[in-house]
Amino acid sequence: MKGMIKIVTIVEEYLENILLPRIISFGATTESASIVKNDIHTRLLSIISQWNDEEFRNTILFTGLEEACFYDSEASLDIKCLVVVAIRNSLLEDMKSTIRAAKKLGLSKPIIDDNTIKIITHEAIQYFNKHDFKCLSFQRPNNNEDSNPYVNLKDKYPVAWEAMKQLSQCINYIQFPSLEIPSQKPSILINPANISGTKTEVQSGIDPTIDSLLQQILNLVIEGKQPFFFCDCFKMISRNPDKLFKILNLVLSSNAPVVTINYYISNGYVARRTNLLRPAHNESDIVLKLRNLSGVRKTHANILKIMRDTYN
């Protein structure tokens, strides 16, 4: 009990004394600041309270690794990943991304840009790096999804969870027993008749919605017409953990790999680039990175070559 009280105190001191004043100084209203603060409060408590559950911690924090390792702050990599996963990948994104997302928070437009995000993440890293969460008593996970957005991912998306768990332990590549997939195909996400053209919708990175273009691509993978799913990095798939694991699970359960610039993920085999490349900000970044095949396994490299030729 003392451990949980200490965790709550640590989180609330950060939110009240550091985050809240900072985002209000950037133009957040009291209402929008409160919504974002409460969301981050939930995410931080959900992860920190289970810090000593190594499988949970490593798998969840891994989703933020390729961003975290490029943060300039001198701090524990786990703390940097915590800041990416629980703070950067929160409703804070709605303050940065689109007018539509900002309006959901009661704002007229986005109020945060890349420079202000750097200030927020740097301050968070400096604050949380002072604390040793392993010394706090382990708490049983709360199975209420409303109060823990991560805890049910393992049960809802078992193939994706196992692959990400293995990848979080991977230095170069790992082969592991694949999970048995039900004989029936995963559910196709949409009725093709409902697709309106190929134009994608510009979304907030935390938006749980799967837009029309993404749905088309996933349908092609599920139907076996597309042999792999490619995206530059995890944040470009989604900053929403449920959406990220849902997409991974759909693809892997269709016996296709998910391939990013840094990772090759399949049901039974995962591999990672020896030295991770920084996630892209735009399409030109992706084209440049596709030319770099250093530190990737042959199977991974072959798909990156296909994508390189596609972009060219």
Side-chain angles (χ1 to χ4, degrees):
M1 190 57 147
K2 287 182 179 179
M4 192 60 194
I5 293 172
K6 178 68 172 176
I7 290 170
V8 171
T9 301
I10 289 170
V11 170
E12 290 184 349
E13 284 182 354
Y14 162 71
L15 294 170
E16 293 294 335
N17 300 332
I18 297 176
L19 180 71
L20 207 57
R22 179 59 70 188
I23 59 177
I24 288 175
S25 75
F26 291 150
T29 62
T30 302
E31 179 187 9
S32 64
S34 178
I35 293 170
V36 170
K37 183 196 78 168
N38 291 339
D39 181 57
I40 293 175
H41 182 275
T42 296
R43 295 172 190 275
L44 285 169
L45 284 186
S46 298
I47 297 174
I48 297 172
S49 65
Q50 297 177 72
W51 198 261
N52 289 337
D53 181 341
E54 290 190 8
E55 177 185 327
F56 172 83
R57 184 184 79 238
N58 291 341
T59 306
I60 291 299
L61 294 186
F62 181 79
T63 63
L65 176 65
E66 56 189 343
E67 285 185 78
C69 65
F70 289 99
Y71 280 180
D72 293 334
S73 303
E74 292 184 6
S76 157
L77 188 55
D78 272 356
I79 293 298
K80 292 181 182 181
C81 289
L82 172 68
V83 170
V84 174
V85 174
I87 299 174
R88 179 63 187 87
N89 294 356
S90 71
L91 288 180
L92 184 68
E93 167 73 2
D94 283 351
M95 289 185 163
K96 181 182 185 295
S97 55
T98 67
I99 291 176
R100 180 180 178 183
K103 285 183 175 179
K104 290 179 180 179
L105 296 176
L107 300 169
S108 61
K109 62 181 180 179
I111 61 169
I112 292 174
D113 58 20
D114 288 340
N115 289 330
T116 49
I117 278 288
K118 287 179 182 178
I119 293 171
I120 292 169
T121 53
H122 177 78
E123 288 177 339
I125 291 167
Q126 295 305 304
Y127 175 83
F128 286 108
N129 197 52
K130 296 182 295 185
H131 300 282
D132 183 1
F133 299 127
K134 288 185 178 180
C135 291
L136 302 176
S137 62
F138 174 77
Q139 303 295 316
R140 289 188 176 275
N142 187 329
N143 290 317
N144 183 342
E145 281 187 85
D146 292 335
S147 58
N148 190 329
Y150 315 105
V151 72
N152 287 330
L153 296 177
K154 181 177 181 178
D155 294 332
K156 289 170 69 176
Y157 310 116
V159 183
W161 182 271
E162 181 64 21
M164 291 292 277
K165 180 186 79 173
Q166 297 291 339
L167 190 56
S168 73
Q169 302 167 17
C170 179
I171 297 174
N172 188 264
Y173 75 96
I174 292 177
Q175 289 182 298
F176 57 95
S178 59
L179 268 63
E180 185 175 349
I181 305 298
S183 56
Q184 70 270 24
K185 288 184 178 181
S187 299
I188 296 178
L189 298 174
I190 56 167
N191 181 341
N194 292 334
I195 302 175
S196 54
T198 59
K199 186 177 180 181
T200 188
E201 175 189 349
V202 178
Q203 293 178 309
S204 163
I206 201 71
D207 193 318
T209 307
I210 293 178
D211 66 32
S212 293
L213 181 57
L214 177 55
Q215 289 180 7
Q216 288 183 61
I217 294 169
L218 289 172
N219 281 343
L220 290 173
V221 173
I222 292 168
E223 293 166 354
K225 298 175 182 177
Q226 170 74 22
F228 59 84
F229 178 93
F230 173 81
C231 197
D232 174 80
C233 54
F234 288 150
K235 74 170 186 177
M236 285 193 172
I237 298 176
S238 183
R239 291 187 180 277
N240 183 306
D242 189 83
K243 182 176 177 180
L244 174 63
F245 275 82
K246 178 187 294 183
I247 290 169
L248 291 172
N249 206 74
L250 275 166
V251 175
L252 302 189
S253 297
S254 301
N255 294 314
V258 171
V259 181
T260 72
I261 293 292
N262 290 318
Y263 307 125
Y264 181 99
I265 311 167
S266 67
N267 182 18
Y269 174 86
V270 294
R272 60 173 282 175
R273 187 184 291 267
T274 304
N275 295 307
L276 300 183
L277 301 184
R278 186 188 295 270
H281 284 293
N282 51 51
E283 191 168 302
S284 61
D285 288 346
I286 300 174
V287 174
L288 288 173
K289 291 196 296 177
L290 284 169
R291 298 173 187 168
N292 185 345
L293 300 179
S294 63
V296 298
R297 304 278 297 176
K298 184 178 179 180
T299 305
H300 190 178
N302 287 340
I303 293 181
L304 295 183
K305 288 176 184 176
I306 292 171
M307 295 308 303
R308 180 187 63 194
D309 293 342
T310 301
Y311 274 90
N312 288 337

